[in-house]
Structure formats: C-alpha cells, structure tokens
Amino acid sequence: RARVLAGLSSVDAVVFFDELTPEVLIRTVRPNVLVKGGDWSPERIAGGTFVADYGGIVRSLPFLQGNSTTDIIQRILIRYGKG
C-alpha cells in the first residue's frame, strides 16, 4: 500500500508510525493538507485541529467504491497471478 501511495504524483511522502494515532507525527511534519477517509468527520481527525489552527486544510473525503488502495492492490495481484 505504501509503495502504491508513494508512486502517486500528488503524494509528497508516505510515513509509518507506531503510535495509536498519527498526532505526534502530524505535529512534527506540519502538513499543509491533512486528509482522512469519509468515515471520519474533520473534527475527529487526529491532528486536525492542530493543522487547522495554523491555516492548513483538513478534509474528510468520501469513499469511492472499488477505489481503495486495498482494492487496487488486490486487482493488481489478481491480474499478475499473485492474488
């Protein structure tokens, strides 16, 4: 999943974290844009308030059926006989 995301031209970096939430990472990186899936309202996104307070953009994007990274990777694996 990380490799697929990192390969997107719109993605600057993919970072792993070991904490329960990425709050500490978000405070360190200070992203201009923070995005989470549609099952999270913007006010519930970890680090969202912090990002919004310095003028960053916080968005909760709707899910597009069949377009999750998990679905995309599964289709790739099936196509190339590894799934």
Side-chain angles (χ1 to χ4, degrees), residues 15-31 34 36 40 42-54 58:
V15 181
F16 296 92
F17 62 94
D18 292 325
E19 296 80 17
L20 292 176
T21 74
E23 180 87 29
V24 172
L25 176 62
I26 290 165
R27 289 177 176 274
T28 301
V29 174
R30 294 180 56 91
L34 179 60
K36 190 90 171 128
W40 292 86
E43 56 275 354
R44 290 183 48 232
I45 296 174
T49 300
F50 174 76
V51 172
D53 284 349
Y54 62 76
V58 180

Side-chain angles (χ1 to χ4, degrees), residues 2-11 14:
R3 285 187 183 137
V4 171
L5 291 172
L8 299 174
S9 63
S10 60
V11 174
V14 175

Side-chain angles (χ1 to χ4, degrees), residues 24-76:
V24 172
L25 176 62
I26 290 165
R27 289 177 176 274
T28 301
V29 174
R30 294 180 56 91
N32 294 321
V33 180
L34 179 60
V35 177
K36 190 90 171 128
D39 54 338
W40 292 86
S41 60
E43 56 275 354
R44 290 183 48 232
I45 296 174
T49 300
F50 174 76
V51 172
D53 284 349
Y54 62 76
I57 298 167
V58 180
R59 294 289 186 269
S60 178
L61 300 181
F63 289 109
L64 298 175
Q65 192 67 22
N67 286 314
S68 71
T69 53
T70 301
D71 290 340
I72 293 167
I73 291 168
Q74 189 61 37
R75 287 195 312 263
I76 291 168

